[in-house]
Each structure stands twice: as structure tokens, then as C-alpha cells.
Amino acid sequence: MTGTPKFAVFASGSGSNFQAIHDAVKAGKVPGQAVLVVTDKPDAFVVERAKKVGIKTLAIKPSSFSSKQAYEQAVLDKLSELKVEWIILAGYMRLIGDVLLGAYPNRIINIHPSLLPSFPGKDAIGQAMEHGVKVTGVTVHYVDAGMDTGPILAQAAVEVVSGNREKTEERIHAVEHELYTKTLQQLWSR
Ligand code: GAR
């Protein structure tokens, strides 16, 4: 791919993955251009992070629309206006619907805190600890209509710190930040 693809990050929470990707772009490690942060949670910390680094935000609640399609259409209008080419999900806790999947075929990427197909859905770290696995990990994958089911781009293993969710989560986040930026770097350097 030539040029620097314009991308939007979708997030519902703290936004540490957004921050890592943004920092990697600024450091010249990822050949893309972050133009927008989309959140379904206007109070999420990711909004502050985006504002601090001067990236536009679109913070709208899906519940204020009559349907999922109407919500996604409003998001799509903004993406089109800014000529966004890729959607990068980073802790966006919603299934992507037909409107965005149709507009961005094979152009939506997600990160998930487990070795998929194990522990899809919410609280993957809690699910892994509850199950008692010794090794879990991180997956970066293309997004399809399913819950964490699209084709896998990259994975990395992380050892569980037995009985210590906080430390396990710290390890997973550190690996996520590295794996996501590395995967995007490879994807956009092709
Ligand atoms: C990350 O661990 C990400 O993998 C997870 O949400 C967290 C967001 O952290 N995503 C999912 O569970 C998606 N199914 P962040 O807001 O600090 O980037």
C-alpha cells in the first residue's frame, strides 16, 4: 500500500491502545494517520486522551438513535467526511453492524485480550482466570459480523499470574500495545 492510510479508532474505555497506536504513529513506527476517535461512551477516558493529542472525537450514544443502522449511519457520515479508510477497534464494546461492515469490507480490525477462539466476548481476562488457564494472550483480527470471529492477523501468548488479575491484565495490556502497533505497521507497509 502506498501513502499513509487515514484511520479512525473506536473505543469505549480508557483508550490505552488508542494512545499506544497514536504514539507509534507520531514516532514514525506506524505509517498511518489517525483522524478521528469514535466512542459510544461520551464519558470514556479515551475522549480526554484524544483531545490532549489534538484528534477529533465523535462521541454519540447509540441509545439516542432509533436503530443500530441509524447510529452507524451517523458514524459513517463522519467517517466519509474525513475520508477515513480503516477502522481500528480498540476496546470498542459493541458488535459492528451491516452499515459499517458494508462500507468497510476487510478494513475493520479489532484487538481482543485472549487467544481466540478461546474466551470471546466480554471480560476475556476474567473468563480465562475463571477457567484456570496458565497461558492466555492477545489476538488482532479482521472484523466480521460475529463476536470476535474474523480472520486472525496476529497472536501473542501471555502467562497468567496465578490468582492476580491486576498483574495479568498489566501484562496483557503491555503485549496488546506492542502487538497492535506491530500488526498495523506490517499491514500498512505491504
Ligand atoms: C483491551 O484489553 C481490549 O483488548 C479489550 O478492551 C480493552 C480496552 O483497553 N477489548 C475487548 O475486550 C473487545 N472484545 P483500552 O481502552 O485501555 O485500550
Side-chain angles (χ1 to χ4, degrees):
M1 183 178 294
T2 53
T4 55
K6 288 188 177 179
F7 67 91
V9 175
F10 285 31
S12 306
S14 152
S16 73
N17 279 282
F18 156 70
Q19 187 79 55
I21 294 166
H22 175 268
D23 292 349
V25 167
K26 285 287 157 204
K29 291 181 191 156
V30 170
Q33 196 188 340
V35 294
L36 182 69
V37 165
V38 174
T39 186
D40 56 332
K41 300 250 191 281
D43 296 335
F45 187 57
V46 69
V47 174
E48 277 178 49
R49 289 188 194 263
K51 285 189 176 151
K52 205 166 171 189
V53 296
I55 295 201
K56 290 192 176 84
T57 57
L58 179 68
I60 47 176
K61 285 187 187 167
S63 59
S64 52
F65 291 82
S66 58
S67 65
K68 186 181 179 98
Q69 280 90 344
Y71 163 69
E72 287 202 341
Q73 188 58 53
V75 173
L76 180 56
D77 289 347
K78 190 73 186 171
L79 299 178
S80 306
E81 181 193 317
L82 296 175
K83 300 191 166 39
V84 168
E85 299 167 81
W86 289 81
I87 295 174
I88 305 304
L89 307 185
Y92 182 71
M93 304 309 275
R94 243 166 228 287
L95 273 182
I96 299 294
D98 297 349
V99 172
L100 289 173
L101 283 171
Y104 287 87
N106 300 316
R107 288 283 185 281
I108 309 178
I109 312 287
N110 182 42
I111 190 159
H112 185 75
S114 76
L115 291 174
L116 290 171
S118 291
F119 312 125
K122 284 191 182 150
D123 193 21
I125 300 172
Q127 291 184 55
M129 298 209 59
E130 179 93 347
H131 199 92
V133 297
K134 305 299 178 205
V135 175
T136 182
V138 174
T139 302
V140 178
H141 64 96
Y142 285 105
V143 171
D144 63 13
M147 173 83 80
D148 304 317
T149 50
I152 290 172
L153 277 159
Q155 288 187 306
V158 176
E159 269 186 52
V160 170
V161 183
S162 180
N164 192 329
R165 184 190 166 117
E166 205 177 316
K167 282 223 152 59
T168 304
E169 205 161 331
E170 262 174 38
R171 284 184 175 181
I172 287 180
H173 280 303
V175 171
E176 283 189 327
H177 300 162
E178 202 178 313
L179 190 72
Y180 219 175
T181 52
K182 199 172 110 190
T183 307
L184 294 177
Q185 190 269 327
Q186 286 170 351
L187 192 67
W188 292 336
S189 302
R190 279 177 195 162

